[in-house]
Amino acid sequence: MDGVPEPHTGWTFLTNHARVLAVIADNPSARIRDIAAHCRLTERAVQKIISDLEQDGYLSHVREGRTNTYRIEPGKVLRHPAEAGLSVASLLSLLARAEADRSRPDNRPHAPA
């Protein structure tokens, strides 16, 4: 079936919710289709994840013409007790730094701040 990502088997370190949030942080006007492709999820799964994130106050959106622009609540604390006190902004900062390191030509991590 065209447009459906390959299924992934086994466990991963990041949840699909974290992946979707990271894509939106990188591009607040991203289309659901593009988010789905980047995260290797179906569009329906991304719609459900966005709904979850909005329902719990991690995300909101404004309709601008035919486009949604998303707003992340950076101060919102992560849900799991093991991450008590860790904010969405902290998680996204960590993911952004890892992505920047992965994109470096020499593939070496940058010095910690």
Side-chain angles (χ1 to χ4, degrees), residues 41-96:
L41 299 169
T42 64
E43 290 179 35
R44 186 173 180 143
V46 171
Q47 288 172 331
K48 172 70 170 113
I49 289 168
I50 288 173
S51 176
D52 290 346
L53 293 169
E54 285 186 316
Q55 185 175 10
D56 286 345
Y58 289 90
L59 189 66
S60 60
H61 76 276
V62 174
R63 187 88 172 153
E64 296 176 353
R66 294 175 54 187
T67 305
N68 284 328
T69 300
Y70 297 97
R71 184 181 184 290
I72 294 171
E73 293 298 328
K76 188 89 170 156
V77 178
L78 300 182
R79 293 169 43 117
H80 197 282
E83 288 94 32
L86 184 64
S87 69
V88 168
S90 298
L91 172 66
L92 293 174
S93 174
L94 182 65
L95 293 174

